Amino acid sequence: LSCRRFFPSSSSFSSATTLSSSQSPHDQTSNEKQMTSDIRSIIQATIQAVDPKSAIQAHISSSSPPSSSIIVSDPSSTNRKLHYHKEDYDDVLLISFGKASVDMTLAAAKIVKDAIPEWNMSGIVIMKDDHATQDE
């Protein structure tokens, strides 16, 4: 991790110094230590926010046990939730496409299967060959 230290009195980028991860944390001021901690937290939160599995888990859940429905949050509305009740469906068909489709489909399938195991589930995932891992 590399952080840039800027001096408030300077408006020139060339006057910035670089603090690399090889430097001792003891060489940092308390403000620099806080900034380093903050940037690491921001980076971790950013990575977590774009994780396909986390994205699905944030929008698909099941009702309290015993599960009788799957609840899908509408990302375009903070209050809209779609409820898919166990007694209204026999089968679930998951269709996905794109780079993150495998991870997203696996996450959705696990949520659904754990919540309502009696539903028959099938699906199709469409992605470029070079985006799949050996396990996929």
Side-chain angles (χ1 to χ4, degrees), residues 30-47:
S30 62
N31 189 35
E32 289 171 332
K33 288 178 185 178
Q34 183 61 51
M35 289 180 354
T36 300
S37 175
D38 290 347
I39 194 64
R40 286 184 175 152
S41 296
I42 291 167
I43 290 169
Q44 185 60 40
T46 303
I47 291 168

Side-chain angles (χ1 to χ4, degrees), residues 68-70 83-92 116 119:
S68 62
S69 65
I70 297 296
H83 294 260
Y84 297 93
H85 299 282
K86 171 168 70 173
E87 60 274 359
D88 294 337
Y89 301 92
D90 295 322
D91 300 312
V92 174
I116 307 175
W119 275 354

